[in-house]
Amino acid sequence: MCYKPKYSIFSLIVIAAILLAGCKSTPVSAPFSPSASLVITGDVEKEICLADYGDWPIVQRDYGDEKQKCIALLPLLSAAGITGEKVSVFFSSPDGAVAEIPLEQINENSLLRLSAEGGWQFIAPDHPPQVGIKFMDYIVIKASEPSFRASCVRIIDGENEQVLTYGELFMADRIERLVLDGQAKKGELLTNVYRRRSLIPLQNYIETTSREDIQTGLAFYASGDQGEISLEGFLEWRGNSVDYLGPDGKTRKKDLMGIWVDPPKLSIKQVVSKSLSAIEKGRVLVILLDGLSYYDVQRAKPEFLSSNNPKKAHTVMPSITPVSLAAALTGKLPNQTGITDRGMRELLSDDIFVELDKMGKTSAMVSGEMKVINTSKEQILNPDLNGDGSTDDEVFACAKKQLEKEIDFIFVHFHGYDDVAHTHGPLSSEALEKLTLLDGYVEELVSNFKGTIFIIADHGQHETFGEKLGDHGEFRLLDMTIPWIEIERGV
Ligand SMILES: [Zn+2]
């Protein structure tokens, strides 16, 4: 079967054709009706929406005496880009019929046919006839294990983490509800307008029986926004995304990435407000230890850090350095900082250095070899001058020098723990050795300083297997929980 790679002009034309065809883009929760369009969705990079065969290669199939024109399913799946492991494919029609096939059983004889008498139909002569669902509206890909940083919904509850892929949520238990959309009026006559919604109660996934005091959680969205939500609310399956709906079944927040049932009260973005209020009383030193999870401090117990009452704080999504550093320097969420992913550097909102300037306070930012994001204050960069494979010793020496200058606000970013934890795994002996070294650096910086000190991380890491032994960027307890240490010396 000849198929061109995902980003070829060919597939762009197909996508453009699909868009022009005005395909429905989201699942219907209204009463079902036979539909001419078929959506391939679920755990895929992008939905594919078919109004007709478009430019997909036509396959001729002998059927009795006649030849039928079909298109093959495999190229479509490969164009959609499956985002996970242990994959099943569901063929679904609006009347409720669904057939499931493991991905590995889809072969070159697995075809799709569009006809007046059968709508979109799955044609697979090698399979039992029951797979031949007619008038299909959805082909849903279900991955039981999402690939790294693939979109899905995660729920953190205590130390438990649940992963709900979009395909799994397609299968979820739902309730049907008539939700009042509004009231229409003509003269004296009133009409109530409803929408029938098929909702997944969030309570299906949350153990609150023993903790009735917990009624809200913190939700994280793909836009980088966060906010408190009621746990009485719902999830709405949208194909390859999920929306959160409030208990009224109506208030909608799009593209949910995760819910933290009992999040730490402190947030990385509070570095700004807390520093600005502390600076009224004296100098402020912020030390950021890249990649250090709160739980690494808990388990490794580095002498200085763990003896200074480390608290838990939550970071932002995705849990990667540019995004969380932007939040720590502006006090804003990613959807406001403008830095929502790797490779983005320009802040859309003022950073703390602008505020400090306005207050007439002096400031400095000490970083490693490269700027992760652009700041209003020129950062003092520290390449690995002695070639020992780390910039931490250079950052430490530079920070010490800056502290001697009586500057009001100093932000110091140590990068080394993250690097070692990626290579050897968080809590590996190499990572522990690095943590001990940094613990000593931090102790020395703090002991030479009078004022308020905040020691934080940008994000944590979780163990992985393969080329890297540690990674982050996902909505996971270890990636999202950072340490927060606050010390006042001689203020
Ligand atoms: Zn990293």
Side-chain angles (χ1 to χ4, degrees):
M1 183 58 54
C2 150
Y3 179 67
K4 299 183 179 101
K6 267 195 303 230
Y7 299 114
S8 67
I9 290 171
F10 168 76
S11 61
L12 291 176
I13 291 167
V14 171
I15 292 161
I18 287 163
L19 291 173
L20 289 172
C23 230
K24 68 184 176 207
S25 63
T26 51
V28 278
S29 43
F32 289 122
S33 62
S35 149
S37 67
L38 171 66
V39 183
I40 300 175
T41 188
D43 295 310
V44 293
E45 273 165 38
K46 57 173 187 282
E47 281 186 341
I48 290 190
C49 184
L50 298 168
D52 49 44
Y53 289 168
D55 290 334
W56 295 96
I58 302 289
V59 180
Q60 295 275 5
R61 171 179 176 262
D62 293 325
Y63 188 76
D65 289 342
E66 59 169 325
K67 281 196 186 300
Q68 288 179 347
K69 282 183 179 172
C70 300
I71 54 175
L73 180 56
L74 280 173
L76 289 158
L77 296 184
S78 118
I82 296 173
T83 56
E85 306 294 322
K86 297 188 183 168
V87 177
S88 279
V89 182
F90 289 85
F91 302 87
S92 166
S93 82
D95 67 4
V98 179
E100 178 190 6
I101 296 181
L103 177 66
E104 55 275 15
Q105 290 179 16
I106 305 274
N107 57 27
E108 60 279 9
N109 292 327
S110 304
L111 308 172
L112 299 175
R113 180 175 178 239
L114 178 62
S115 67
E117 60 280 13
W120 282 101
Q121 188 179 5
F122 182 50
I123 307 276
D126 303 339
H127 290 81
Q130 284 79 358
V131 299
I133 303 276
K134 289 184 175 178
F135 296 103
M136 284 191 298
D137 56 352
Y138 288 104
I139 294 177
V140 180
I141 310 304
K142 186 199 88 173
S144 300
E145 286 170 15
S147 38
F148 179 63
R149 286 192 71 191
S151 293
C152 62
V153 175
R154 286 188 156 91
I155 298 176
I156 303 177
D157 186 356
E159 305 221 325
N160 286 340
E161 286 176 0
Q162 276 181 87
V163 183
L164 306 169
T165 63
Y166 302 134
E168 284 168 335
L169 285 166
F170 165 72
M171 300 171 66
D173 290 342
R174 306 173 192 206
I175 59 164
E176 292 269 313
R177 184 181 281 188
L178 265 194
V179 178
L180 184 67
D181 248 1
Q183 218 168 38
K185 200 173 179 188
K186 188 173 178 185
E188 292 297 298
L189 304 180
L190 285 177
T191 303
N192 287 333
V193 182
Y194 297 88
R195 185 163 297 270
R196 187 182 297 282
R197 293 202 181 282
S198 172
L199 303 168
I200 305 168
L202 200 45
Q203 291 292 329
N204 289 1
Y205 304 102
I206 295 167
E207 281 279 344
T208 47
T209 40
S210 56
R211 298 170 305 155
E212 271 148 19
D213 52 315
I214 299 181
Q215 275 140 22
T216 60
L218 188 59
F220 293 71
Y221 305 96
S223 64
D225 197 9
Q226 299 173 6
E228 194 179 83
I229 53 155
S230 165
L231 298 179
E232 304 285 320
F234 303 95
L235 304 178
E236 190 182 56
W237 182 76
R238 309 271 300 172
N240 71 340
S241 67
V242 162
D243 289 353
Y244 169 80
L245 294 181
D248 60 358
K250 194 170 163 184
T251 320
R252 178 184 298 276
K253 289 287 284 180
K254 288 183 85 68
D255 272 359
L256 180 73
M257 305 299 292
I259 293 172
W260 206 330
V261 173
D262 48 355
K265 296 284 170 283
L266 283 163
S267 156
I268 189 168
K269 67 191 178 82
Q270 282 169 272
V271 171
V272 172
S273 57
K274 290 200 178 262
S275 295
L276 290 177
S277 81
I279 208 144
E280 307 278 359
K281 296 182 284 181
R283 300 171 71 198
V284 173
L285 168 63
V286 179
I287 300 173
L288 186 146
L289 301 170
D290 205 306
L292 182 67
S293 171
Y294 167 82
Y295 293 97
D296 293 350
V297 178
Q298 278 292 92
R299 286 185 281 181
K301 300 215 180 314
E303 214 177 305
F304 180 75
L305 294 178
S306 56
S307 65
N308 277 285
N309 186 27
K311 292 186 185 131
K312 288 181 199 172
H314 65 262
T315 189
V316 289
M317 269 297 286
S319 46
I320 55 174
T321 301
V323 180
S324 41
L325 184 62
L329 288 173
T330 60
K332 302 267 165 50
L333 293 173
N335 57 326
Q336 293 168 306
T337 66
I339 297 185
T340 54
D341 210 341
R342 253 178 246 285
M344 304 172 96
R345 321 176 117 254
E346 297 304 328
L347 289 170
L348 294 181
S349 39
D350 282 348
D351 59 28
I352 188 168
F353 303 110
V354 174
E355 295 305 313
L356 291 163
D357 276 352
K358 281 187 206 158
M359 295 166 82
K361 303 286 184 189
T362 52
S363 59
M365 179 163 172
V366 180
S367 304
E369 191 152 26
M370 284 185 302
K371 272 198 283 189
V372 179
I373 59 171
N374 295 336
T375 44
S376 68
K377 183 102 208 165
E378 209 40 66
Q379 297 168 34
I380 309 170
L381 300 180
N382 294 279
D384 180 15
L385 290 178
N386 59 4
D388 68 347
S390 169
T391 57
D392 288 343
D393 47 344
E394 286 85 2
V395 167
F396 172 59
C398 175
K400 265 210 298 198
K401 248 190 220 155
Q402 292 302 312
L403 288 182
E404 284 163 14
K405 291 188 187 168
E406 295 298 317
I407 296 169
D408 298 313
F409 176 88
I410 301 184
F411 192 103
V412 183
H413 187 163
F414 285 103
H415 300 258
Y417 182 81
D418 189 62
D419 297 335
V420 178
H422 274 298
T423 311
H424 301 282
L427 296 178
S428 59
S429 57
E430 292 86 349
L432 292 181
E433 196 182 314
K434 173 59 94 177
L435 186 51
T436 308
L437 178 76
L438 289 171
D439 191 61
Y441 286 168
V442 172
E443 180 172 17
E444 195 173 332
L445 293 179
V446 169
S447 63
N448 286 320
F449 188 80
K450 271 202 175 62
T452 309
I453 301 119
F454 298 97
I455 304 161
I456 56 162
D458 48 354
H459 55 76
Q461 278 203 27
H462 63 272
E463 235 182 285
T464 53
F465 303 95
E467 231 168 86
K468 285 178 174 184
L469 296 178
D471 219 332
H472 56 91
E474 299 188 316
F475 187 72
R476 288 171 179 257
L477 185 69
L478 293 174
D479 293 12
M480 296 297 296
T481 316
I482 56 169
W484 180 289
I485 296 171
E486 209 170 317
I487 304 171
E488 281 198 358
R489 292 191 76 253
V491 180

